[in-house]
Amino acid sequence: MPHSPSSAPSDTPGGRVRLARGASPWLLPTVATAAVSLARARRSGRAAAVAVPATALAAGMLWFFRDPEREITQGRVISPADGVVQSIMPWKDGRTRVAIFMSPLNVHVNRAPLAGTVDSVEHIPGGFVPAFNKESENNERVVWHFDTELGDIEMVQIAGAVARRIVPYVPQGTKVEQGERIGLIRFGSRVDLYLPEGIEPAVEVGQATTAGVTRLDRD
């Protein structure tokens, strides 16, 4: 049974949690440092001093890069990102932009808002100001276009001050299911989704969203 549009449910109870693809360059060195320092802590005061912050950092990395299984909501348009709705803005062409801010505590894996075909995946270089700043629209970003039953759907992954790497999972021409994992933004940032003309948002500014679960459109 679909969840209500206003809810942002937790991950599937008892579901398996895996690590996000694209986390290895950050995660492996951190975990290795923690493991080595812990192994040497009993024999070396210096290693013991390193072990505590290294272990804490490794635990944080494991949390940051978690990728839980989700029970995907049935609906026309679902949230591509975990986070909080930062703004809802009518666009000149009749579309409505829903901007979702992702903090470092959110799951960083993004999901397809609709089923369809990836028409294009374009990387655009830019700055790295905080994602909640208006100027973040000029940040490093990846622009997606999906060919769906609602027509062309645009989604933009925007890097933030810390998140300086966006990792697409699927290339142009790929057919994706609604809620399928399509990419990763490391360490939080922003995801913008443009609802087609005539589609009314079901969310409000300040509302929490869950990727693959929170419905963005209203019947």
Side-chain angles (χ1 to χ4, degrees):
M1 179 176 179
H3 299 284
S4 64
S6 60
S7 64
S10 59
D11 303 319
T12 304
R16 182 171 61 90
V17 178
R18 63 184 189 181
L19 294 177
R21 290 167 50 195
S24 297
W26 291 80
L27 190 58
L28 292 181
T30 307
V31 172
T33 300
V36 171
S37 60
L38 283 171
R40 297 178 177 177
R42 291 185 179 181
R43 302 189 302 272
S44 168
R46 179 177 296 180
V50 172
V52 173
T55 301
L57 182 58
M61 288 286 187
L62 289 170
W63 174 255
F64 290 155
F65 289 117
R66 69 197 186 282
D67 183 11
E69 298 294 341
R70 298 271 168 85
E71 182 178 347
I72 305 303
T73 292
Q74 299 299 310
R76 288 185 299 179
V77 186
I78 58 176
S79 177
D82 286 22
V84 175
V85 178
Q86 182 182 38
S87 66
I88 299 174
M89 182 180 297
W91 222 240
K92 295 179 180 179
D93 58 9
R95 297 180 300 167
T96 301
R97 187 185 71 181
V98 179
I100 300 172
F101 174 72
M102 302 168 60
S103 82
L105 298 180
N106 290 126
V107 172
H108 307 310
V109 176
N110 298 144
R111 294 173 178 261
L114 291 87
T117 301
V118 179
D119 263 353
S120 64
V121 185
E122 181 184 8
H123 172 261
I124 301 176
F128 297 100
V129 302
F132 53 79
N133 191 308
K134 187 178 185 301
E135 295 181 1
S136 65
E137 295 177 7
N138 297 318
N139 274 13
E140 186 97 1
R141 58 201 184 278
V142 171
V143 180
W144 297 73
H145 283 273
F146 301 92
D147 181 16
T148 75
E149 62 179 10
L150 296 180
D152 176 69
I153 298 293
E154 181 179 352
M155 187 188 88
V156 185
Q157 296 173 296
I158 302 174
V162 178
R164 299 192 174 213
R165 177 67 169 151
I166 301 171
V167 184
Y169 288 169
V170 294
Q172 180 180 354
T174 303
K175 291 185 177 180
V176 295
E177 297 297 326
Q178 189 175 45
E180 183 177 337
R181 297 170 176 88
I182 59 171
L184 169 74
I185 311 179
R186 292 175 180 158
F187 299 111
S189 44
R190 201 176 95 195
V191 175
D192 292 350
L193 186 69
Y194 292 81
L195 299 177
E197 184 175 7
I199 302 295
E200 183 180 355
V203 292
E204 300 176 349
V205 173
Q207 180 177 333
T209 62
T210 302
V213 176
T214 305
R215 187 171 172 179
L216 297 186
D217 70 300
R218 192 182 306 279
D219 288 328

